[in-house]
Amino acid sequence: MTTLRNSVGERIRAIRKARGLTQQQLAELSGLDDAYIGSLERGERNFSIDTLEKIISALNIPLSQLMYSDNEVNNPEALKREAIDEFIGIVSTMNEKQVNSLRNINIEFKRAFD
């Protein structure tokens, strides 16, 4: 199942970068070693469910976000996924009032293109 391991590792790297985190920072947030994070991202290491739970908790994402592969979609879809990853990273640092303001901006922005 190396393909799945590689795919999950690539997603961890993509989401980490979209959040603006280094491997060291993700390691600190997850309680794992930074060299271990690197080997996970490269698909070199098997990982336990407990390790996966630490990673998704540190990245503040649902498990389903890791089960998506850029290799399975065309470039426009991959570009959209990258934008979504970055957007989630931004929103995850906001308070409730900021999120509501951003929602209103998104609604108006969408209306401009309808």
Side-chain angles (χ1 to χ4, degrees):
M1 284 289 135
T2 305
T3 303
L4 178 59
R5 190 173 61 223
N6 288 340
S7 178
V8 171
E10 289 170 6
R11 288 295 298 145
I12 291 169
R13 177 182 288 126
I15 295 167
R16 174 183 60 77
K17 286 184 174 184
R19 301 280 194 282
L21 297 172
T22 64
Q23 288 180 346
Q24 178 67 38
Q25 290 168 322
L26 179 56
E28 290 171 9
L29 290 170
S30 64
L32 300 168
D33 184 77
D34 58 330
Y36 186 75
I37 296 291
S39 64
L40 285 178
E41 289 183 351
R42 292 186 299 276
E44 297 171 350
R45 301 283 302 260
N46 283 321
F47 47 84
S48 69
I49 296 298
D50 292 340
T51 298
L52 199 55
E53 185 175 29
K54 289 176 183 179
I55 298 281
I56 64 173
S57 177
L59 292 172
N60 194 27
I61 58 169
L63 177 61
S64 60
Q65 265 198 279
L66 289 183
M67 299 304 144
Y68 167 87
S69 172
D70 289 345
N71 297 332
E72 297 172 0
V73 296
N74 57 28
N75 285 340
E77 288 302 314
L79 184 61
K80 288 177 188 177
R81 177 53 63 177
E82 185 178 329
I84 290 168
D85 289 345
E86 290 171 0
F87 186 77
I88 291 170
I90 292 167
V91 172
S92 69
T93 65
M94 295 179 162
N95 64 37
E96 186 177 345
K97 183 177 179 181
Q98 292 169 323
V99 171
N100 285 328
S101 295
L102 185 58
R103 279 180 134 172
N104 291 333
I105 291 168
N106 283 337
I107 290 167
E108 293 302 318
F109 188 74
K110 185 178 179 315
R111 284 184 188 151
F113 289 99
D114 286 341

